[in-house]
Amino acid sequence: MSHKGLIPKFIDAVRISGIFRIVLMFFIALVMALIITSFLTSCEKAIIPIDDIEDSEQTVSTKGLGELYVSCSFSQTQTEINNAREADDIFTRATSKPLYECANRVQYIVMNGETIVYNSEQINGGGSSFGTLSINLEPGTYQLMVFAHNEGAGNPISVGTDGSIQGYNNRATDSFSYSTEVVITKDKRKSVSCKLTRCVAQIYFNSTDEIPNEITKFKMSLTGVSSKYDLKNQIGADASTYSTSMVNISRWTSQTGTFSNVNSYVFLPAISAQIDAKFEFYNNNDELIMTRNIPNIQMKINAKTTVNGAFFQSDGMDAAVTVDDEWGEGISQEI
């Protein structure tokens, strides 16, 4: 029998069996669907999850911009570096700390020439994302500056048009800084690992004699410290005088009745500098009882200076000054 005779018979069978016709149509539709799916799958491009982009060296284009990715930590102290070098083990002993262990707030500033193009603050929420930043910038050369500090959340710090930092009420807290030049390229990610270093010195005052009964308040002034911090050059911006308001001396009275652990963080106009301290002591009626001047106190960035001596004798005795190495390299001085 020829194939020409089979076709009419097949058609007649389909006409007779409605169920067979339905099955045939379903089978044809299934085959077509598989063919279309296979075609689309072969043409589809992989989609990279956003989380994966964060780990790549190149980001997708955002209208011709480049990405600046910043990750911050607090670098090891000079003492740790020296110890590690002496032990010939710098890579295992000289370590850094996550920034969230050292600071409450961090300020990011990006400048293009003399113009600030980005300025934002990040609050420490206790997570590892504190100290990281990702922003898109036009291709070009920028100055990246980072300032981490411990001022209370309700106390604003000031950022000048030149990128300088001025603390709340002109005071400093334990603070850390970083500054570098970065080049942003179109469609590329620029990753910067910021190792912030401490940018303040700290001073402590302790008396060796008891506080006279009539003295209940005091003011402290420090001359030769900086009221602003030049974040770009990472040094104090000027040399001026920082003064406290009237303070109740009971807050700083030890169990033995001495003046104890009166302290302040300060910016300095040089890595190492001499400052002068002045104390004015008052009674309950805000009448000045006596003044105590301590000149030529040696200070150093990333070091603590402790001043011990007689504060309440009329002529005053020389105070012993030491600078310990809890933060950085230590020095000592007798005045």
Side-chain angles (χ1 to χ4, degrees), residues 57-290:
E57 295 181 356
Q58 180 175 347
T59 62
V60 295
S61 174
T62 307
K63 298 182 179 179
L65 302 179
E67 181 192 9
L68 173 62
Y69 179 79
V70 178
S71 177
C72 301
S73 62
F74 167 51
S75 70
Q76 65 272 12
T77 66
Q78 187 63 43
T79 300
E80 289 175 319
I81 293 176
N82 291 342
N83 290 342
R85 286 174 178 165
E86 292 173 3
D88 196 24
D89 194 19
I90 189 168
F91 295 108
T92 58
R93 293 189 60 190
T95 58
S96 61
K97 293 182 180 180
L99 196 60
Y100 64 81
E101 293 184 8
C102 308
N104 293 332
R105 296 155 64 181
V106 60
Q107 197 83 25
Y108 303 97
I109 302 167
V110 179
M111 297 188 70
N112 185 353
E114 301 300 318
T115 304
I116 295 178
V117 297
Y118 184 83
N119 179 15
S120 72
E121 184 182 63
Q122 191 176 40
I123 305 297
N124 188 350
S128 59
S129 62
F130 179 73
T132 62
L133 173 73
S134 175
I135 57 173
N136 293 318
L137 297 168
E138 294 282 352
T141 301
Y142 298 86
Q143 189 74 25
L144 166 66
M145 297 174 287
V146 184
F147 181 75
H149 60 101
N150 284 278
E151 186 60 77
N155 300 332
I157 65 168
S158 174
V159 179
T161 56
D162 59 351
S164 62
I165 298 292
Q166 190 155 25
Y168 179 72
N169 285 341
N170 292 330
R171 74 184 179 206
T173 61
D174 197 9
S175 304
F176 315 88
S177 70
Y178 179 88
S179 177
T180 190
E181 186 178 271
V182 295
V183 177
I184 301 300
T185 305
K186 177 182 177 181
D187 299 342
K188 297 287 186 177
R189 160 181 281 191
K190 175 64 177 180
S191 296
V192 181
S193 178
C194 301
K195 300 294 185 182
L196 279 74
T197 55
R198 182 173 275 111
C199 59
V200 293
Q202 190 175 21
I203 188 165
Y204 280 84
F205 295 94
N206 300 291
S207 76
T208 56
D209 51 354
E210 293 185 15
I211 303 169
N213 291 332
E214 66 269 27
I215 293 177
T216 59
K217 303 175 184 179
F218 75 94
K219 291 181 181 179
M220 179 183 71
S221 298
L222 302 175
T223 300
V225 301
S226 298
S227 62
K228 294 194 301 182
Y229 185 70
D230 181 350
L231 188 51
K232 182 177 182 180
N233 296 303
Q234 298 190 78
I235 200 68
D238 56 12
S240 59
T241 298
Y242 165 73
S243 298
T244 67
S245 57
M246 191 78 80
V247 181
N248 289 327
I249 205 167
S250 60
R251 294 177 52 192
W252 307 99
T253 303
S254 70
Q255 292 182 348
T256 60
T258 61
F259 200 42
S260 179
N261 289 326
V262 179
N263 66 88
S264 181
Y265 293 96
V266 296
F267 299 125
L268 297 177
I271 298 298
S272 181
Q274 287 187 341
I275 71 168
D276 299 330
K278 178 181 179 180
F279 286 87
E280 295 176 326
F281 297 102
Y282 298 82
N283 62 18
N284 275 328
N285 297 321
D286 293 345
E287 297 171 337
L288 180 63
I289 301 299
M290 64 173 296

Side-chain angles (χ1 to χ4, degrees), residues 27-84:
F27 177 79
I28 294 172
L30 179 61
V31 171
M32 292 300 295
L34 292 174
I35 293 173
I36 294 172
T37 301
S38 176
F39 175 79
L40 292 177
T41 302
S42 65
C43 296
E44 187 178 17
K45 294 182 179 180
I47 300 174
I48 304 176
I50 294 177
D51 291 342
D52 292 342
I53 293 177
E54 290 297 312
D55 295 329
S56 66
E57 295 181 356
Q58 180 175 347
T59 62
V60 295
S61 174
T62 307
K63 298 182 179 179
L65 302 179
E67 181 192 9
L68 173 62
Y69 179 79
V70 178
S71 177
C72 301
S73 62
F74 167 51
S75 70
Q76 65 272 12
T77 66
Q78 187 63 43
T79 300
E80 289 175 319
I81 293 176
N82 291 342
N83 290 342

